[in-house]
Amino acid sequence: MAYIDGMKKLNQRLYKLAEGKAVADAMGKCLALVEGESKENCPVQTGELRRSITSRMKQEPTLIQGEVFSDKEYAVYVHQGTGIYAENGDGRDTPWHYQDADGNWHTTIGQHPNPFMERALDENKEKCLQYIKDSIRREIHDD
């Protein structure tokens, strides 16, 4: 039987990685970063949308998944746009009228998209990947 020097130590380190703590810690840092920048990028009228932005992490034996989101129904319309400006052509292509709280009538063709969450993720992808790499590197080199 062949003996590989250091195999026991390698197996211990691989087992530690399989537990997912290193990646989960890095995911937590990524979520905090993207959530914070999403809030910074978010347009503000009342502050309700900004306050609704949060994050959560789901961890299973073979999956660690993070999500930054808002539970406000109108968040998607701010993010993706409406009317003729809606991303992917998903909006209404004719003007519409609406009445505001004061009883005044307005006509609109839509709202330009403001992908504040997508921008926060795109601007931080490399940093998040580096968090994960660094965390794994520390985990496997930690004695």
Side-chain angles (χ1 to χ4, degrees):
M1 172 163 45
Y3 176 77
I4 300 174
D5 189 36
M7 186 58 116
K8 182 177 180 182
K9 192 171 191 173
L10 174 62
N11 280 334
Q12 288 171 337
R13 288 178 174 172
L14 290 173
Y15 181 76
K16 212 171 176 183
L17 277 177
E19 290 176 328
K21 184 172 175 1
V23 176
D25 289 347
M27 178 63 79
K29 284 176 69 174
C30 292
L31 288 171
L33 176 65
V34 174
E35 178 182 331
E37 290 210 15
S38 291
K39 288 178 178 182
E40 284 181 30
N41 293 341
C42 182
V44 178
Q45 284 184 345
T46 66
E48 184 179 2
L49 180 57
R50 179 178 281 173
R51 285 188 301 273
S52 75
I53 297 170
T54 190
S55 61
R56 65 180 165 220
M57 182 170 40
K58 176 180 173 182
Q59 189 171 358
E60 297 175 0
T62 60
L63 172 74
I64 296 174
Q65 182 177 8
E67 177 181 33
V68 175
F69 64 98
S70 168
D71 62 357
K72 295 297 173 194
E73 188 175 306
Y74 62 89
V76 67
Y77 302 117
V78 174
H79 197 272
Q80 303 299 112
T82 61
I84 66 170
Y85 305 112
E87 289 190 358
N88 303 321
D90 290 339
R92 184 177 181 158
D93 60 0
T94 59
W96 67 95
H97 312 285
Y98 67 94
Q99 191 174 22
D100 66 21
D102 295 327
N104 300 313
W105 283 93
H106 304 272
T107 300
T108 186
I109 56 174
Q111 171 180 303
H112 289 275
N114 186 340
F116 54 95
M117 288 191 208
E118 185 176 343
R119 214 170 33 251
L121 177 60
D122 289 346
E123 291 170 359
N124 290 291
K125 277 183 184 175
E126 291 304 315
K127 194 179 283 188
C128 287
L129 288 173
Q130 194 60 51
Y131 286 163
I132 294 168
K133 288 176 188 177
D134 291 347
S135 188
I136 289 172
R137 194 172 291 118
R138 277 192 306 274
E139 187 77 26
I140 61 173
H141 287 41
D142 186 24
D143 287 323

